[in-house]
Every structure is written in structure tokens, then in C-alpha cells.
Amino acid sequence: MNKQADVIIVGSGLAALQLAHHLHSTSHVIILTKTKIRQSNSYIAQGGIAAVIDKDDSVHSHVEDTLKAGRYHHFTEEVERLAGEGAAAVKELIAGGLGIDREADGQPSLGLEGAHSAKRIVHSGGDATGRHTVEHLLATLPANVEIIEGEMAYECLLSEDRSVCIGVKTKNKEGQIHHYWSSHVVLATGGIGAIYPATSNQPTMTGDGIAMAFRAGAEVTDMEFVQFHPTLLFKDGAARGLISEAVRGAGGVLVDENGVSLMEGVHPLRDLAPRHVTAYEIYKALARGTAVFLDIRRVQQFEKQFPTITALCKRNGVPISKGFLPVAPGSHFLMGGISVDSNGCTTVPGLYAVGEAAHSGVHGANRLASNSLLEGIVYGRRLAAFLNRHIPVKSRPADMFYYEKQLKSESAITLSKEELRARTMKAAGIIRTSECLQNHVSYLEKLGIQKWIESGLDELDRDAIEKIDMHINSYLISRAALLRQESRGAHIRTDFPVEEVDWCGKRIVQTKDQINIRGGQHERNPIRIHA
């Protein structure tokens, strides 16, 4: 099948839907998702949306909190724009019909989460903000948007000289290959959580969009910064789901198996310290053989405040009434991704990225709680405004690039997702060392990672393509983590335990051909805007 559209969006999370919502109603927009439209990280997001809508709050305060949490590894002007535009974007959603939680007097009920200095978290449905927001956008989606489910995008279609993206190639569950043509292809595929053994992400988050962009020649940046959420429900040796940071904002306390506070004396914000701090403390306790719990006895009306978490605990046989929820860290959010400018343009003309798949420079080395949904809302709207100025579609080049070599199915048969997850966690998990990282990079290179990057994937089934994408992302993360010889935010090296001034603002940028260190503390994203 061959189809053409004005804009093609790969992914179905909040950033994708916000983008589709704001594109011209005269444009033909196609949303492609490899599973179902509601199977996204956004849909299961328990946290809210961080936005300055309270008169006693300020954009300056939100910016400062973001910079502190991310250890000043940001494009500062992008953070200022995010916080500044965020309030208007959230108010627009509310005015458009998104129902938010309110106090008895009708004012927004604003929550507190880790590393925030003010109550500024907007919630909808308690701990179901993601689901409510996605449902609102789906219910109000314009008629010009076509949704195609069950098709996995796996390669960018490129011009013959590989200089311009002109579409995407997909594969359905039956193995049929489809071509979608457009001068504007947006990757909104989310993060890479599923390449780790324990994650808060959907199991489909295998980094497909990042691998697609990288193989197409786009730059990726900051891949070493992977955030681990401190509190995943941990039962029978496995992570069962996320326990929102809002629980600690409502009074939950991290304790060890003896009831001793884990965060007392560790950080001034104690249980609301930045995520890399709390995750590290829990990791060290578990490594000592000490179980860790979230003490929720002080949280008032827990079941009413957190119905989603309550249901999660009941499904897994964890009684809320006892007041102690067993927890462990798990991969949660990628601060790095496909390099984009302020509008969402990548380094490949015709290719764009938005949401967690993109590196916009707003999250630094460690994302501030509830800034992720905000990013999707703000950048989705901003990219739409940019694309609206460059539609209609230009005629696509007559000649297209074809891979000289196609990977055979036997190339991926020996690859195990479970083995890769274990190896990635050991090398590039919460704690990293030069030896483990180097061993993992060498292991991936011996497997033939460079060959996979430069070969076509037409002859592989979807599971095999996911394996290839997971290995590519593991390689990108590990290579960058090996090169960054310091500890900063979510990147913790035991052999380089100090946050180095000389590394502040320096970014590790990777392409198919090279890896290099770029920039300094105040550098703006250098990508040239293209139409």
C-alpha cells in the first residue's frame, strides 16, 4: 500500500495528538501507531502537568527548579520558553474542555512533586492525568486526522542522495510493507524504557523512532541520561507498575524494612529530592539486601487520591491497609534523544521529532517531575505552528534511496531481548563503570551493530526489528555513558563520582559516522531550521 499525506506522525502519545490537534484543518494528517492508539506512555502517566497557573507561583521559580533538578545541563532559553509557554498551553486545554481536579471553591487543586518549590502540578482524575488528557484530545481530534493502528514504522524513506526524508516505511502484523509519503515526517515514538528489565514504560517502548532517525543520518544527543523512577511497585522480584511521585508529595515516606527513613539527612528535600538522588539511595539499600517501602500511612484518603495506584496494588496482592508499599527503581524517562531545534526540526530536512523521542534541551541531566507532559503539550503546539507555515506538501523526489544489503532473519534470531536488558542494566543502569560500559560496547560491536545500522530491515519480522532497535539504543546509551567521565544527574559513574565543572553543558552528539563532544554551558541548540 502507498499513501501520501501532508503530515505523517509516528506515535500516538500526548505530543503526537497535541500536534495533530493544532495542524491546519485543511491538511491531511496521518497518525501511525504500531499497536493501539491508547497504548502509549502518555496514556498511563500518573503524574500531572507542571504549569505556572497559580498567582503565587512564577515562571522564574519553575525554571530554577528545572535547572536544579537537571544539574544545569540544559539549553536555558528553551527551559524559559517551556515554562513561559506552558501556562498558556495548559489553560488552552482547560478552556477546550479538559476537566481538571479542583478544590471545593472551584480553584485548581495543585499538587507538589519532587524538586518543585511550589504546588504547581495540575491533575485530572487524581493519578490518571495522562489518560484523561489523551481521551480529551482524541474526543476533539479534527476530521482531517486519519489514525492507522497496528503498523510499525521501521525505516525513513530517503531521497536518493539520503539528504531528505520523504516518508516512512511500515510493517503490519502480517508482515506486509506499506509506504507513506510526505514532506513532513514527525517521530513521536516515546522513549527506550523497554530496553531495561524493570520499567514504568509500556512494553512497546523499544526506541524505534530514535533508531530510525539515527539510521537515517540524524544526530542524537545526551543518550547517556536515562532517568530511573525511584518508586515502582516491586513484588515477587519484579516491577509491577509505577507509584507516582505525587504519593510522596502527599506525605509518603521512603523507609527501609526496619521502618527507618531512607532520605533523612541525605538531601534537604528528603523524600522529594530529585529523582536521581532518591533512586540512588533506594538502589544502595537494595544492594545491601535491605527491602525498601513507601510508607503511606500519613497520606489522607489514599484510595480516593490515587485510584490507579490502589487498583495496581490490589491486582498484585499488596494491601493498602497495611500502609507499606514495596518499591524499587526502574527505567522511566530518556532525557536525550533525536537532536531538534526550537521547532522540532532534526538535522535531516523533512524529519521532525517531538516528545520523549526528541532531545530539546529542556530536561538537562535529570527531568523535573511532570515536565514531560508539559513538554508534549508545548512542543506539539509549537511544531504545529511551524509546519502550518510550510504546508502544502512539496512534490517528492522521483528517485529514492535503497539499501544495498538487507539483513536476513537469521541475523536477529540469536538476539535475546531478555539478555540485552540484563546486559544494558549491568552496564548502563543506575550505576556505571568504565569496565562494564566498555565491555558492553565491545560486545555490541562484535555482534555486528555497525552492519545493522547500515543495512535494510525489509526481510525481518517486527519482533526482530524491535530487537535491532533495542540493541542500537543500548549502544548509543553505553557509548555516550563511557565518554562522559563525570557523574551528573541520572548519569552516575563510580569511577568518576564528581560532577565536573568542565563537563557542564557539554553534549555528546552521535551520528552514524562519528561521536563527539560539543558545546559549553550556555550553548543554544545549534541545529539549523529548515522547511
Side-chain angles (χ1 to χ4, degrees):
M1 181 176 72
N2 291 274
K3 295 190 75 171
Q4 186 149 350
D6 294 316
V7 181
I8 293 170
I9 304 171
V10 184
S12 59
L14 187 58
L17 296 175
Q18 175 78 334
L19 167 62
H21 213 275
H22 283 80
L23 289 167
H24 279 320
S25 59
T26 56
S27 301
H28 179 205
V29 180
I30 293 178
I31 293 178
L32 299 167
T33 179
K34 71 175 176 180
T35 52
K36 296 292 185 181
I37 194 68
R38 290 172 173 82
Q39 193 170 348
S40 65
N41 277 353
S42 296
Y43 200 79
I44 60 173
Q46 296 176 2
I49 306 167
V52 179
I53 63 173
D54 184 83
K55 61 181 178 60
D56 295 325
D57 198 3
S58 71
V59 169
H60 174 76
S61 176
H62 189 183
V63 170
E64 285 300 308
D65 290 347
T66 300
L67 297 177
K68 288 178 183 177
R71 301 312 307 148
Y72 304 97
H73 184 77
H74 306 72
F75 295 136
T76 305
E77 291 184 32
E78 292 300 322
V79 177
E80 291 168 348
R81 288 190 68 187
L82 175 73
E85 294 177 25
V90 171
K91 288 177 181 177
E92 180 182 81
L93 280 173
I94 296 170
L98 174 64
I100 64 169
D101 298 345
R102 296 183 181 273
E103 303 289 354
D105 61 1
Q107 293 299 309
S109 178
L110 301 176
L112 179 67
E113 291 185 3
H116 284 273
S117 60
K119 289 186 175 183
R120 65 168 66 99
I121 314 302
V122 177
H123 290 276
S124 179
D127 56 1
T129 305
R131 175 166 59 86
H132 283 239
T133 308
V134 168
E135 290 290 1
H136 164 71
L137 290 174
L138 286 173
T140 55
L141 208 58
N144 61 301
V145 180
E146 178 183 1
I147 297 173
I148 299 177
E149 297 179 312
E151 293 198 23
M152 177 184 181
Y154 67 95
E155 273 180 7
C156 293
L157 296 171
L158 301 173
S159 59
E160 188 175 27
D161 63 359
R162 303 181 76 168
S163 65
V164 179
C165 179
I166 55 177
V168 293
K169 199 183 292 186
T170 71
K171 187 168 289 195
N172 62 20
K173 292 181 179 178
E174 290 72 39
Q176 297 169 317
I177 296 174
H178 297 156
H179 294 76
Y180 293 88
W181 306 97
S182 178
S183 294
H184 307 294
V185 175
V186 182
L187 299 176
T189 51
I192 47 78
I195 75 169
Y196 288 91
T199 181
S200 63
N201 290 194
Q202 294 276 19
T204 54
M205 293 296 108
T206 49
D208 303 333
I210 296 170
M212 281 175 61
F214 181 72
R215 294 176 66 244
E219 290 182 353
V220 296
T221 302
D222 278 357
M223 289 296 289
E224 68 271 33
F225 294 113
V226 180
Q227 183 181 85
F228 286 78
H229 198 287
T231 53
L232 270 60
L233 185 68
F234 198 72
K235 180 74 183 301
D236 298 329
R240 305 296 177 178
L242 181 68
I243 299 177
S244 171
E245 198 160 293
V247 174
R248 281 175 280 141
V253 178
L254 292 166
V255 297
D256 65 18
E257 59 193 26
N258 299 312
V260 178
S261 172
L262 208 65
M263 298 304 298
E264 189 67 39
V266 173
H267 191 278
L269 294 176
R270 295 188 293 280
D271 295 273
L272 291 176
R275 286 175 176 172
H276 67 284
V277 178
T278 46
Y280 187 29
E281 291 303 312
I282 296 172
Y283 170 86
K284 288 189 291 185
L286 295 174
R288 295 193 299 267
T290 302
V292 178
F293 298 87
L294 187 57
D295 181 351
I296 60 170
R297 291 176 298 174
R298 301 176 191 172
V299 180
Q300 298 181 355
Q301 297 181 306
F302 184 91
E303 295 187 25
K304 182 179 179 180
Q305 280 199 72
F306 304 105
T308 303
I309 298 171
T310 298
L312 172 69
C313 291
K314 288 181 178 179
R315 283 198 306 272
N316 289 282
V318 177
I320 296 291
S321 57
K322 290 188 177 181
F324 292 92
L325 311 182
V327 295
S331 68
H332 185 58
F333 192 88
L334 176 67
M335 278 69 73
I338 307 162
S339 305
V340 297
D341 67 7
S342 296
N343 295 301
C345 303
T346 75
T347 53
V348 175
L351 185 64
Y352 310 83
V354 69
E356 190 176 351
H359 172 265
S360 60
V362 298
H363 298 307
N366 188 38
R367 175 176 64 79
L368 180 66
S370 289
N371 268 359
S372 55
L373 293 183
L374 180 71
E375 180 192 23
I377 291 168
V378 169
Y379 278 82
R381 188 171 75 155
R382 194 188 300 168
L383 178 55
F386 176 83
L387 292 178
N388 285 338
R389 299 194 297 270
H390 296 94
I391 297 172
V393 169
K394 307 165 187 174
S395 58
R396 67 179 179 86
D399 296 316
M400 188 180 79
F401 166 77
Y402 294 92
Y403 283 97
E404 292 183 6
K405 296 180 180 179
Q406 294 286 334
L407 285 180
K408 306 299 181 182
S409 58
E410 53 266 26
S411 301
I413 288 175
T414 57
L415 304 179
S416 162
K417 290 181 178 180
E418 290 70 26
E419 182 182 1
L420 175 73
R421 289 176 178 129
R423 286 178 175 272
T424 303
M425 187 66 189
K426 180 180 179 181
I430 297 175
I431 305 299
R432 291 108 181 249
T433 67
S434 176
E435 181 181 7
C436 287
L437 287 166
Q438 184 61 68
N439 288 342
H440 188 54
V441 169
S442 298
Y443 162 78
L444 292 170
E445 290 176 342
K446 288 176 183 177
L447 280 181
I449 191 80
Q450 291 296 338
K451 177 184 176 183
W452 301 342
I453 291 168
E454 286 292 352
S455 300
L457 307 179
D458 291 349
E459 298 182 24
L460 302 182
D461 62 24
R462 288 168 41 140
D463 186 66
I465 293 172
E466 278 193 340
K467 289 179 183 178
I468 296 295
D469 289 347
M470 291 169 70
H471 280 72
I472 289 174
N473 279 283
S474 183
Y475 182 61
L476 294 172
I477 291 167
S478 300
R479 248 193 348 172
L482 180 61
L483 191 55
R484 180 172 290 278
Q485 296 183 348
E486 67 158 351
S487 289
R488 182 178 299 274
H491 172 68
I492 302 172
R493 290 276 299 263
T494 57
D495 46 348
F496 295 97
V498 178
E499 185 177 281
E500 299 287 353
V501 174
D502 290 345
W503 271 98
C504 186
K506 289 185 177 178
R507 287 167 176 80
I508 297 171
V509 180
Q510 302 182 67
T511 66
K512 290 189 303 178
D513 303 317
Q514 61 182 340
I515 178 171
N516 56 61
I517 301 169
R518 178 185 297 170
Q521 185 170 0
H522 303 294
E523 182 205 27
R524 289 275 325 240
N525 198 330
I527 296 172
R528 177 174 58 85
I529 293 177
H530 56 73

